[in-house]
Amino acid sequence: MEVALGLLVLVAVVCAGSALGRKLNVSVPLLLVLAGVAGSFLPFVPTIDLNPELVLVGLLPPLLYAAALRTSLFDFGSNRRAIGLLSVGYVIFGTLAVGAVVWWLFPEIPLAAAIALGAVVAPPDAVAATAIARKVGMPRRIVTILEGESLVNDATALVCLRASIAAIAGSVSALDIAGGFLLAAGGGLVVGLAAAYVLTELRKRIRNVAINTSTSLMAPFVAYLPAEAIHASGVLAVVVTGLVMGMKAPSMPNGAARLSQRSNWNTVQFLLENSVFLLIGLQVSTIIAGVQDDSLGAGRIWAGCAVILLAVLLLRPVWVFPATYLPRLIPAVRRADPAPPWQFAAIVSWAGMRGVVTLAAVLVLPADLEHRPVLILAALVVVGGTLALQGLTLPGLVRLLRVQGPDQREDALNQASLMQLATAAGVAKLQELRTDEDPPEVVAMLKRRTQERGLAAWERLGRPTSEAATPSQRYAQLRLAMLDAERAKVLELRRGGEYAHEVLSGVLERLDVEESMLDASLEELDTDGGGGGEGIARPGGICGHLETAPDPEVPDDPFCADCRRDGTTPVHLRMCLACGQVGCCDSSPGTHASRHFQATGHPVMRSVEPGEDWRWCYEDELLG
């Protein structure tokens, strides 16, 4: 009964804290940690012992798997050098450097134990940094690097921790450590790929949605447990499995199972990632009480913890800036991947919040280790300090450095263009499959509905200040009202008892499916069009610039000369129709196409991306 009540309160506080944080525009992880800290000192709140196995086996694999499912394997691969330098190089560097600082502060603590603490506080959290990154609108490449780092760095840190604990128990050679790393990495990679293959082949053959979704929920443990059984990295196996299955999921059959998987994993991720921050706060009073009688003295302990926190904050930029720019001294690397602006490195340096893995890992230290409570308190101070200092100031730093995130107008243009290409492919397939026996009204209806979906994507580019709703928005509003009336009628008939329950449930389920699609469509339209910012008009507007603009030939190998000069990487390319100059889009760091218009007044540009031929008038804000 107590366990059930505790879980109920935990979920209720998580939901309330998350809703309050979003309403107040406050960091949800930090708010939940503070709520947990307050709760830990309340007399009626029972002491909660955070079992490290519960976190490392029960919570970490599904959290990492959920994050890996949503991470693009292609983006991960294109940023593999930066991710590797952070998730492996920085963790090893931080482990040794923090270990040296701890040993210098507290010579009474064995060197191996000091290095173990370094391994514990080395990996940034998999949740906090990317949650803030998406909230404040960081460039996508920074978000990708932070996500990739947080997926792999736990594996490196846990291997370092395992080696340090072995050194505490007895002698361990450098050869043993190197062998452990190879086994962890190689074994985790092999097990992850094998688990992904087995699960993918299995789910292809399962048509039942409930069984298919249940198989998906088993996936992180199917990868984790075998890897740990052979002393490989279970964390790395989970990440590999998630990345591969996330890439393969869109091409797998059974769309209902894919929707169910997405919905269920969103719920699991929400509950787990927010619960762990609340659990961190609930440990505070117990951890503080554990160091009261330590022979090192309270003043020395707290001062040492503050220095360790300072070292953690300073060591990350010490690693990030050289790791960002030194490899680009090699001409081949610089040509393939020009150096990013220093603001990017500054943001990555400050996005190093620690989380529940740090606190769970430190509890793995041997129970008989001398001054163990001091090491646990140091880990807690690092977690709380980074969440407060970096979590609260990171959004302000992004604004101060004027780093531009993804441009919503550019994204809407690209989505509409992509939808247009997909619509054309669908119509072409219809023409290929249709026969003389097909009813003309069926073919016409299919073509009309497909084209309407493509037009709805262009309607999203309408100006948000327009008073009238777009046709797709109005359709969704009217159809939702009709569905309410239809559902009310079915419920009225249910009360009469004239129809079987199974029949009524089938009709209500169909209404729910259609309503969920309309809700998502309407919410997406409102989100994209209701921000009050500068919008984009939909096709069909009257614009003399678009009508009279020339049509110069597109270069075979277009590039943004300004980006090459500045050493930045463009996202998409646009070409001025007046002079033919190629510039980068508004999602790119340089925004050179818009700058060209501001400098020259040339109003019309066109996309020079493969398969795109739309035009845009800067002066009238119309699409053509």
Side-chain angles (χ1 to χ4, degrees), residues 58-74:
L59 299 182
L60 185 59
L63 271 176
L64 289 175
Y65 183 79
L69 275 178
R70 299 193 308 172
T71 301
S72 167
L73 185 60
F74 301 105

Side-chain angles (χ1 to χ4, degrees), residues 349-471:
S349 297
W350 199 240
M353 288 77 81
R354 271 59 173 180
V356 71
V357 174
T358 291
L359 201 56
V362 77
L363 296 176
V364 176
L365 294 176
D368 58 350
L369 179 64
E370 191 177 3
H371 306 295
R372 181 176 182 266
V374 176
L375 299 177
I376 296 176
L377 178 63
L380 176 66
V381 169
V382 169
V383 171
T386 53
L387 281 174
L389 294 175
Q390 295 179 321
L392 288 175
T393 58
L394 183 59
L397 177 65
V398 173
R399 289 190 292 268
L400 178 65
L401 297 180
R402 298 181 179 179
V403 174
Q404 187 174 10
D407 184 74
Q408 291 186 353
R409 300 178 307 163
E410 189 75 26
D411 286 349
L413 278 169
N414 290 322
Q415 187 173 2
S417 179
L418 181 61
M419 182 62 75
Q420 183 178 3
L421 294 174
T423 299
V427 172
K429 189 66 176 179
L430 174 64
Q431 297 297 336
E432 175 187 334
L433 295 177
R434 63 174 298 184
T435 64
D436 295 336
E437 289 76 21
D438 291 327
E441 61 272 16
V442 172
V443 176
M445 181 176 63
L446 285 170
K447 184 181 295 186
R448 186 184 71 252
R449 289 185 176 180
T450 303
Q451 291 172 340
E452 285 174 353
R453 187 186 60 190
L455 290 174
W458 288 111
E459 289 168 6
R460 292 177 53 200
L461 307 177
R463 293 176 179 171
T465 54
S466 61
E467 296 181 359
T470 65

